[in-house]
């Protein structure tokens, strides 16, 4: 797969939040508080109010993963079109 180790870990951690095996708090503790020295409680309060500035790892990771997904979908369409041809090289 074309995901980096860090991107895969990010996705797997979020899926753990969704299935309830880790808390959302633990996820944000691991991924959101990388660049600044803000208190984790402050980060969670801002997140809950909806005014957290996502210029951090989470925003970047979501963007990178979305772009990779879009490229993979296009590649799969090309592969499918190729494989559906009656005449092959």
């Amino acid at each position: 797969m074309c995901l980096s180790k860090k991107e895969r870990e990010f996705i797997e951690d979020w899926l753990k939040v969704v299935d309830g095996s880790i808390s959302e708090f633990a996820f944000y503790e691991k991924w959101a508080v990388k660049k600044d020295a803000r208190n984790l409680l402050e980060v969670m309060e801002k997140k809950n109010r909806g005014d957290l500035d996502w210029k951090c790892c989470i925003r970047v990771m979501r963007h990178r993963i979305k772009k990779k997904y879009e490229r993979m979908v296009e590649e799969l369409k090309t592969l499918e079109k190729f494989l559906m041809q009656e005449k092959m090289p």
Side-chain angles (χ1 to χ4, degrees):
M1 185 120 210
C2 65
L3 294 174
S4 71
K5 182 179 175 184
K6 191 172 184 178
E7 291 164 342
R8 180 176 301 281
E9 182 180 2
F10 178 83
I11 291 169
E12 288 170 350
D13 284 351
W14 184 252
L15 293 175
K16 288 176 186 175
V17 170
V18 172
D19 74 14
S21 54
I22 66 169
S23 70
E24 193 172 340
F25 186 83
F27 176 83
Y28 286 107
E29 182 177 36
K30 180 175 181 178
W31 293 101
V33 189
K34 295 283 186 188
K35 286 190 174 181
D36 54 28
R38 278 187 286 190
N39 175 313
L40 182 56
L41 182 58
E42 179 185 339
V43 170
M44 290 305 290
E45 287 171 353
K46 284 186 173 187
K47 181 220 172 272
N48 290 336
R49 286 194 311 266
D51 61 352
L52 183 59
D53 181 10
W54 285 108
K55 292 180 183 174
C56 64
C57 185
I58 290 174
R59 183 175 173 187
V60 171
M61 291 296 282
R62 284 191 329 222
H63 178 76
R64 286 173 40 188
I65 291 167
K66 182 180 178 200
K67 289 297 177 188
K68 282 188 177 186
Y69 171 78
E70 291 168 354
R71 284 193 305 263
M72 288 186 327
V73 167
E74 288 303 313
E75 287 184 14
L76 284 173
K77 287 178 184 177
T78 303
L79 283 170
E80 182 179 37
K81 187 175 179 180
F82 173 76
L83 292 172
M84 299 303 286
Q85 300 302 307
E86 287 184 30
K87 184 175 180 180
M88 298 292 278

